Amino acid sequence: MVKVIKRDGSEEELIYEKIVVSILKTGAPIDIARKIAFMTIGKIYMDNKESVTAKELTSLILNYLKAENETWYRNWIAYDRVAKKRETEKELK
């Protein structure tokens, strides 16, 4: 199974459903979210990787999102900024 190396250095299993849920938050419909998640995981397996960084995973997803719909792409960027800001605020407390 492929591992995702998160920004904090921890590792977790690459989970299809987590990718789908993240894509759904952009406003993409379920069929597109599933398609992008499938293509993303397929690309990782085709490259024969045992692990992928969160940054690499995000980049793959963003490339597929941008090709599908520019608005969904921008929504991901906006959502990601908010999530990172929340993480930073948690760390400061």
Side-chain angles (χ1 to χ4, degrees):
M1 185 49 93
V2 174
K3 297 286 185 186
V4 177
I5 302 167
K6 297 170 72 173
R7 286 169 172 65
D8 66 3
S10 64
E11 293 182 4
E12 66 180 39
E13 207 171 287
L14 178 64
I15 302 171
Y16 171 83
E17 291 83 5
K18 282 185 83 170
I19 296 171
V20 172
V21 168
S22 294
I23 295 167
L24 288 173
K25 292 176 183 177
T26 70
I30 187 73
D31 60 324
I32 298 297
R34 288 178 178 153
K35 175 180 139 183
I36 292 172
F38 183 76
M39 292 187 320
T40 301
I41 290 175
K43 172 76 171 130
I44 292 167
Y45 276 98
M46 285 189 64
D47 289 347
N48 207 25
K49 292 189 170 199
E50 293 181 16
S51 66
V52 62
T53 66
K55 188 174 183 176
E56 291 169 323
L57 180 60
T58 299
S59 179
L60 280 172
I61 295 167
L62 284 174
N63 286 334
Y64 290 126
L65 263 178
K66 193 171 189 176
E68 286 289 335
N69 184 298
E70 188 76 28
T71 300
W72 301 335
Y73 169 80
R74 285 193 305 268
N75 288 347
W76 177 291
I77 300 295
Y79 177 78
D80 194 49
R81 283 186 185 142
V82 170
K84 285 180 185 171
K85 183 177 178 181
R86 285 185 191 145
E87 279 183 34
T88 302
E89 288 171 355
K90 277 185 189 178
E91 290 171 2
L92 295 175
K93 289 183 179 182

